[in-house]
Amino acid sequence: MGAHHYKLNAIPSSMQIPVDAKRLEEGDHWGGEQPPTAFLDELRTLLPKDTSWGCCEQFESDREWGSDIRIWHDDEIEEHPIFGIELSLSAGTDGVSLLESFLSLARKFGLQFYAAQSGRVLQPDLERIIQDFEQSTAYRFLSNAESTILDAAKYTEKKTRHRPL
């Protein structure tokens, strides 16, 4: 995921905060539940390029620096259950139409979202999602790419400088 991506994870409506907060942070968004098959079938049609690999079904925008959707499977279990579904939205490239399609599917199947950067659980409401997006690095990148990249470089330098050998 690049600085220009805003990441949303589709999660079941049964997921509760703060009870399931640790599970969300660790990336286990579905636990024992599985997403509806019809949701997955429709989700796979939102972006045109199938670039799947290993345990990840990946669908990408056909635009440079575009969005992608990933459906993560657990390869260690024979049935290969899904443990994560994420949209990495490139708002500057794919605009709000992809986001609206993703939200529409979530509403249709009664799902909600975990916004990775803010750590918030959000309903599939465009206004609330945009408010969260406006607090993200992706929004900062759209507004001032140079400043965002310089801040990320400073953060990375600080983390690597203090890393034990």
Side-chain angles (χ1 to χ4, degrees):
M1 183 178 88
H4 64 290
H5 283 125
Y6 173 66
K7 186 174 171 182
L8 285 174
N9 297 281
I11 60 174
S13 58
S14 62
M15 185 79 63
Q16 300 296 315
I17 298 299
V19 176
D20 295 315
K22 185 168 177 58
R23 253 183 58 200
L24 286 172
E25 289 171 14
E26 293 173 351
D28 180 15
H29 301 141
W30 286 88
E33 281 186 68
Q34 287 295 282
T37 302
F39 169 71
L40 295 171
D41 291 343
E42 289 188 50
L43 187 63
R44 291 177 179 116
T45 67
L46 291 182
L47 292 171
K49 289 172 46 179
D50 182 345
T51 56
S52 299
W53 50 273
C55 64
C56 180
E57 289 181 67
Q58 180 170 286
F59 303 90
E60 296 180 348
S61 168
D62 56 2
R63 299 177 180 160
E64 195 169 334
W65 292 70
S67 303
D68 64 71
I69 293 171
R70 294 180 182 170
I71 303 169
W72 293 95
H73 296 265
D74 188 341
D75 274 355
E76 295 182 13
I77 299 174
E78 189 173 325
E79 298 82 31
H80 305 293
I82 291 168
F83 66 86
I85 299 170
E86 62 190 43
L87 167 68
S88 292
L89 178 70
S90 178
T93 303
D94 294 309
V96 75
S97 63
L98 175 60
L99 178 60
E100 287 176 326
S101 296
F102 195 59
L103 297 179
S104 176
L105 279 178
R107 278 191 298 276
K108 180 177 177 179
F109 291 98
L111 305 176
Q112 57 188 355
F113 296 105
Y114 174 65
Q117 191 170 14
S118 68
R120 293 186 183 116
V121 172
L122 303 166
Q123 296 304 310
D125 173 70
L126 184 60
E127 186 176 321
R128 298 277 314 204
I129 300 288
I130 288 176
Q131 288 171 354
D132 189 72
F133 168 71
E134 288 175 344
Q135 304 303 310
S136 73
T137 302
Y139 182 78
R140 282 189 54 225
F141 185 84
L142 281 175
S143 305
N144 187 343
E146 182 179 1
S147 171
T148 305
I149 291 168
L150 291 173
D151 288 348
K154 288 176 192 172
Y155 175 77
T156 303
E157 181 182 338
K158 185 189 297 185
K159 284 193 72 113
T160 57
R161 187 180 315 139
H162 299 290
R163 185 180 298 161
L165 298 175

